[in-house]
Amino acid sequence: QVQLVESGGGLVQPGGSLRLSCAASGSIFSNNAMAWYRQAPGKQRELVASIESGGNTNYADSVKGRFTISRDNAKNTVTLQMNSLKPDDTAVYYCKLRQYRWGWSEYWGQGSQVTVSS
């Protein structure tokens, strides 16, 4: 079983920065992908950024150049550095881990609120 614990959300002014962190624990296979999703009220959940165990990343167009995803494989953590934040970034951010070990499985964190407002 895998558990994900998120931290780092909060309130920030437009143009500010915030860093989200997600720590995974449990039966984690070395070959896995971790990602950040977000969901604003009344909107569908969307992928923000993802990173594979080998370091390959991809980003949503709306956050390219502003957000950076990284991971520490030894600690099984993933972070999302968010710069130049906009009000449209306001959402609940979810950490996800996907892996293959005796079959495909994925796990989600409980979510962390990010509010960008002046």
Side-chain angles (χ1 to χ4, degrees), residues 25-96:
S25 62
S27 300
I28 303 171
F29 187 55
S30 60
N31 188 10
N32 64 78
M34 301 186 75
W36 289 97
Y37 288 76
R38 68 185 182 187
Q39 186 168 24
K43 297 184 178 180
Q44 289 185 292
R45 184 179 60 192
E46 64 174 347
L47 175 67
V48 177
S50 65
I51 184 167
E52 298 174 2
S53 58
N56 189 38
T57 62
N58 74 311
Y59 297 88
D61 289 340
S62 60
V63 306
K64 286 181 179 178
R66 299 188 298 120
F67 291 11
T68 302
I69 189 170
S70 61
R71 64 185 293 162
D72 185 332
N73 290 339
K75 296 181 178 180
N76 290 319
T77 60
V78 62
T79 62
L80 185 68
Q81 178 65 47
M82 303 182 290
N83 298 325
S84 301
L85 283 162
K86 305 174 181 179
D88 286 346
D89 295 320
T90 297
V92 177
Y93 285 69
Y94 297 91
C95 176
K96 188 189 80 171

